[in-house]
Amino acid sequence: MEAIASHYNTVYKISSLTGMWPDLKPQTRALRVALLTVVLLTILLPQLAYQFMCKRDLHCTFQAMTAYLLSFVALLKVYTFQFNTRTIKHLTRHLFYAWEELNTWEEYEIMKSYAMNGKRFCLIYSVYCFAAVIIFTSMSLIPYTLDIVLPLNQSRPILPPYRGYYFVDIRDYFFQIFWHSIVAWEIVIAGLIAHDCLLVTYIEHVCSMFAVTGFHYEHLFHDGKESLEFMISISNSDDTYSKRVALLVRKHREALEYAQLLEDTFTVPFAVQMLMVTIGMSISLLQITQDNSDILEAMRYVFYVVGQLIHLFFLSFEGQRLIDHSLQIRDKMYSSSWYKASMKLQKMIVLVMMKSLHPSFLSAGKIYIFSLQSFTMILQTSMSYFTVLSSFQ
């Protein structure tokens, strides 16, 4: 069991620290989520105050929106898990229960490979997000550095770590605000990482369920030494193969139900996230093209857009994997020696193949389906909003 737990130790640690691991004690989870929320509010309140100070200045309003939209996305990700605790517990416990049902070395290797995929994603994604926050925030130090290296007759304009109003002179309290931004955003990003890592772990798990089922379908009618040790011994009787197919149908149905549970749990939060991300990218593109935007400010908007695209690409890539694995069941069945079965069994196989014609997927509000093909649609939508917003300038 310890060997199995090691496959999920990275996502366990990051989600436990942020209070998202479902099997934490309720008091512990509530305390950690409360602390994360308080830290997030110390960022969000100055951002909203800055928005209030903008009044009717449209350019200032857009600057403020790019800041607090990301904070709202982080807040939504954190509380998606808190409002679906029972479902998340079921999804997480199935990760471990599925290993107990493995009977062959081939099954174990398949499950292990997908668990390691999730672990690698979590490690790479965590390093990327934490580093991105430091780089983005540290860009505000560049004007100070230039004042020391290449001084002018007057100090260069202050570039705040993010758009926020702290009710004090930002030049006098710059470094206090800077270090608060670094620490607070790293904590908030940890919550965002925990959400995405757990989600990817669930997706990789359901992909492994489809892969195991597809492997057995592909080897269902093979002659010689059979790899399905958990089934009845080899026999040419229809009864034996019928029992095998019935068992695989049950495993396939479990995978479909798991995928549907993921879809039902995350589709509404994803819809809100996609709306915020699309608007945020559109505004950022608009800010990049503004004539009065300085180079450093424009560079930060570019980094913001690139970061959002990488985030969406990861989700779209995992959504594409889920679609591909759910559709591969029919290909695996067709690749088997189905023609060796009786006509009765062939009809049963056809019925199972028809069930796998409709892919499992993740969507945002049942409208946007996460896939590589749909990934370009977000770019087009963002460009459309950008064009509309440009017309008001």
Side-chain angles (χ1 to χ4, degrees):
M1 192 66 182
E2 293 182 0
I4 296 172
S6 65
H7 301 323
Y8 305 111
N9 59 358
T10 303
V11 67
Y12 166 75
K13 290 177 181 178
I14 189 70
S15 59
S16 294
L17 287 173
T18 54
M20 292 193 190
W21 189 256
D23 288 333
L24 290 174
K25 294 180 180 179
Q27 298 87 346
T28 303
R29 184 173 65 251
L31 177 61
R32 293 179 181 179
V33 172
L35 289 174
L36 182 61
T37 304
V38 170
V39 172
L40 182 54
L41 288 176
T42 63
I43 297 174
L44 185 58
L45 292 179
Q47 291 173 337
L48 295 178
Y50 185 84
Q51 173 71 89
F52 177 78
M53 296 296 294
C54 290
K55 296 183 179 179
R56 296 185 179 182
D57 188 339
L58 197 58
H59 177 69
C60 177
T61 298
F62 287 156
Q63 286 182 327
M65 287 182 67
T66 55
Y68 64 72
L69 282 177
L70 182 59
S71 299
F72 278 125
V73 169
L75 189 65
L76 178 62
K77 283 180 178 288
V78 170
Y79 278 92
T80 294
F81 277 70
Q82 307 310 314
F83 293 144
N84 297 279
T85 304
R86 182 175 299 180
T87 302
I88 300 302
K89 281 186 177 180
H90 173 74
L91 292 171
T92 304
R93 289 173 180 173
H94 194 280
L95 292 174
F96 298 96
Y97 293 157
W99 291 86
E100 298 176 1
E101 297 181 356
L102 302 182
N103 294 276
T104 68
W105 178 82
E106 292 90 345
E107 289 179 334
Y108 179 82
E109 288 299 312
I110 291 173
M111 291 283 290
K112 179 182 176 181
S113 66
Y114 284 87
M116 294 305 295
N117 283 341
K119 184 176 182 178
R120 281 191 292 269
F121 167 85
C122 190
L123 287 172
I124 296 172
Y125 191 66
S126 299
V127 172
Y128 155 73
C129 288
F130 285 133
V133 169
I134 294 176
I135 293 173
F136 183 89
T137 309
S138 297
M139 290 182 68
S140 61
L141 295 174
I142 294 179
Y144 271 95
T145 305
L146 291 177
D147 281 341
I148 297 174
V149 178
L150 299 173
L152 301 175
N153 293 330
Q154 59 183 5
S155 298
R156 291 176 172 84
I158 290 293
L159 180 63
Y162 62 91
R163 292 295 173 180
Y165 182 67
Y166 280 85
F167 305 96
V168 294
D169 190 325
I170 189 173
R171 186 175 292 277
D172 294 338
Y173 293 89
F174 175 80
F175 286 102
Q176 291 89 332
I177 294 174
F178 172 78
W179 286 113
H180 166 263
S181 302
I182 288 285
V183 175
W185 270 113
E186 291 289 6
I187 294 174
V188 170
I189 287 298
L192 188 148
I193 291 171
H195 172 282
D196 291 346
C197 286
L198 274 170
L199 176 64
V200 170
T201 301
Y202 298 146
I203 296 175
E204 289 293 331
H205 176 61
V206 71
C207 287
S208 70
M209 296 170 67
F210 282 123
V212 169
T213 304
F215 170 79
H216 289 312
Y217 270 128
E218 191 173 19
H219 296 80
L220 181 60
F221 299 107
H222 278 195
D223 295 327
K225 184 178 180 180
E226 190 57 74
S227 62
L228 307 178
E229 298 176 2
F230 70 99
M231 295 183 179
I232 304 172
S233 59
I234 296 176
S235 170
N236 290 326
S237 65
D238 282 354
D239 183 62
T240 297
Y241 284 119
S242 296
K243 291 180 179 179
R244 293 185 178 186
V245 172
L247 181 56
L248 292 178
V249 167
R250 180 180 66 82
K251 288 182 172 293
H252 187 203
R253 185 175 65 249
E254 289 179 357
L256 292 174
E257 291 174 351
Y258 193 94
Q260 187 60 46
L261 188 59
L262 277 177
E263 162 67 6
D264 295 339
T265 304
F266 291 97
T267 183
V268 174
F270 273 148
V272 180
Q273 289 180 44
M274 294 301 294
L275 177 62
M276 292 182 180
V277 168
T278 303
I279 294 175
M281 286 198 299
S282 303
I283 294 175
S284 297
L285 290 172
L286 180 64
Q287 296 297 93
I288 293 172
T289 60
Q290 292 296 305
D291 295 334
N292 56 348
S293 294
D294 58 57
I295 297 177
L296 285 179
E297 191 74 20
M299 286 178 60
R300 294 217 298 184
Y301 284 119
V302 170
F303 288 155
Y304 178 87
V305 172
V306 171
Q308 291 292 358
L309 289 178
I310 292 175
H311 173 240
L312 288 177
F313 177 79
F314 276 133
L315 294 179
S316 299
F317 179 76
E318 288 297 324
Q320 185 67 55
R321 282 176 60 81
L322 178 59
I323 293 173
D324 293 342
H325 280 75
S326 63
L327 292 176
Q328 283 175 1
I329 294 291
R330 66 186 183 191
D331 299 328
K332 297 292 185 181
M333 295 175 67
Y334 190 77
S335 299
S336 69
S337 302
W338 55 267
Y339 47 84
K340 296 181 180 180
S342 64
M343 186 59 65
K344 177 182 177 182
L345 275 174
Q346 289 184 24
K347 292 180 180 179
M348 185 183 299
I349 294 296
V350 170
L351 292 176
V352 178
M353 291 179 68
M354 291 177 63
K355 182 67 176 178
S356 62
L357 288 175
H358 304 286
S360 298
F361 56 84
L362 288 177
S363 71
K366 309 293 184 180
I367 300 174
Y368 174 84
I369 296 177
F370 287 98
S371 66
L372 295 179
Q373 182 178 4
S374 299
F375 176 67
T376 58
M377 186 176 74
I378 288 295
L379 301 180
Q380 295 173 352
T381 304
S382 298
M383 291 301 298
S384 298
Y385 288 159
F386 161 67
T387 303
V388 173
L389 291 173
S390 298
S391 64
F392 290 98
Q393 298 299 306

